[in-house]
């Protein structure tokens, strides 16, 4: 589990580091008013960006267990951990629903 969390943290750092250059290269590559040579250079630079620097490489994971499915964004916990902590009263403002 710990390895997946570390891999996700590394991917988030890579995305944050390459966000601005990636945005600039995408703009230059898609701008039709520029010369084709400049657009091609921007496209080549964009293709040289590491794969893990892509925003789609980021996956929401549980901060407790590292689980990648069933994660609540607001608390960054999987549904099972959220339920256990809510029942124990560890999450402020969360009550068991009754109707």
């Amino acid at each position: 589990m710990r390895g997946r969390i570390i891999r996700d943290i590394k991917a988030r750092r890579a995305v944050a580091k390459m966000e601005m250059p990636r945005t600039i290269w995408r703009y230059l590559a898609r701008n039709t008013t520029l010369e084709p040579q400049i657009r091609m250079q921007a496209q080549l630079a964009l293709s040289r960006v590491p794969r893990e620097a892509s925003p789609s490489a980021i996956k929401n994971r549980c901060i407790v267990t590292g689980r990648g499915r069933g994660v609540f964004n607001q608390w960054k916990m999987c549904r099972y951990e959220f339920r256990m902590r809510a029942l124990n009263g560890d999450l402020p403002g969360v009550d068991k629903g009754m109707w």
Side-chain angles (χ1 to χ4, degrees), residues 72-90:
F72 293 122
N73 288 338
Q74 187 175 358
W75 290 278
K76 297 181 183 177
M77 280 191 270
C78 62
R79 54 191 168 82
Y80 180 74
E81 281 297 321
F82 176 80
R83 183 174 189 274
M84 289 295 115
R85 290 178 185 239
L87 289 175
N88 289 337
D90 296 339

Side-chain angles (χ1 to χ4, degrees), residues 48-67:
R48 284 192 297 260
V49 174
R51 183 178 288 176
E52 65 266 4
S54 173
S56 61
I58 295 176
K59 179 151 181 76
N60 290 335
R61 292 201 167 271
C62 176
I63 58 174
V64 180
T65 61
R67 182 179 164 90

